[in-house]
Amino acid sequence: MQDVSLGNVFRFIWQAAILWAVYRGSCWFVEAVALPLPGNVVGVVALFTLLCLGVVKLEHVSHAADFLLRHLVFFFVPITVGLMEWGGVFKEYWLELTAAVVVSSLLPFWLVGFVTQWLHRRGKPCDI
């Protein structure tokens, strides 16, 4: 059972505000420089960079991030329900969609593994 004190509520709101500010700042940056990447992807990179540089400490965002990760599956329910109406598209383009899902799943695994090994070889892994 979690402690639901007023201090924890304010801490959660403050940490969620930090995460939201990083996200909104990244969306603004993507629009300002017409970067062909989604703002949320740039936000993840920005948050990781801020954590590595020590600008944002892990304890500044961990409470809200843990809460959001714990309940992440609920954010996919509306998307999943909406996909049920796209059965005809899936039937017609199943091969292209399957290839896109496989490539877009494997490429990040490879990229994260490559970057992690590269950082460890340099001897300066991000010490969050």
Side-chain angles (χ1 to χ4, degrees):
M1 183 109 188
Q2 281 193 328
D3 182 21
V4 204
S5 69
L6 194 57
N8 279 341
V9 171
F10 283 128
R11 183 174 63 162
F12 174 80
I13 291 171
W14 175 247
Q15 291 185 359
I18 291 172
L19 294 173
W20 182 81
V22 170
Y23 166 71
R24 291 306 308 164
S26 300
C27 289
W28 173 82
F29 177 75
V30 165
E31 276 188 37
V33 299
L35 197 63
L37 287 173
N40 55 355
V41 172
V42 174
V44 168
V45 173
L47 182 60
F48 180 73
T49 303
L50 292 172
L51 286 167
C52 286
L53 295 175
V55 175
V56 175
K57 303 286 185 203
L58 185 59
E59 58 267 14
H60 293 162
V61 293
S62 64
H63 187 66
D66 287 344
F67 175 83
L68 292 172
L69 286 174
R70 200 174 321 121
H71 298 92
L72 185 66
V73 71
F74 293 115
F75 299 121
F76 289 100
V77 170
I79 296 170
T80 305
V81 171
L83 286 176
M84 292 179 176
E85 295 180 6
W86 290 72
V89 173
F90 290 128
K91 189 175 181 180
E92 187 173 337
Y93 298 104
W94 69 270
L95 184 60
E96 293 89 348
L97 291 170
T98 301
V101 167
V102 168
V103 169
S104 65
S105 297
L106 294 179
L107 189 60
F109 286 135
W110 176 81
L111 185 62
V112 168
F114 177 79
V115 170
T116 302
Q117 289 180 353
W118 179 73
L119 287 172
H120 279 280
R121 266 187 255 130
R122 288 183 56 213
K124 296 179 182 177
C126 178
D127 191 15
I128 297 176

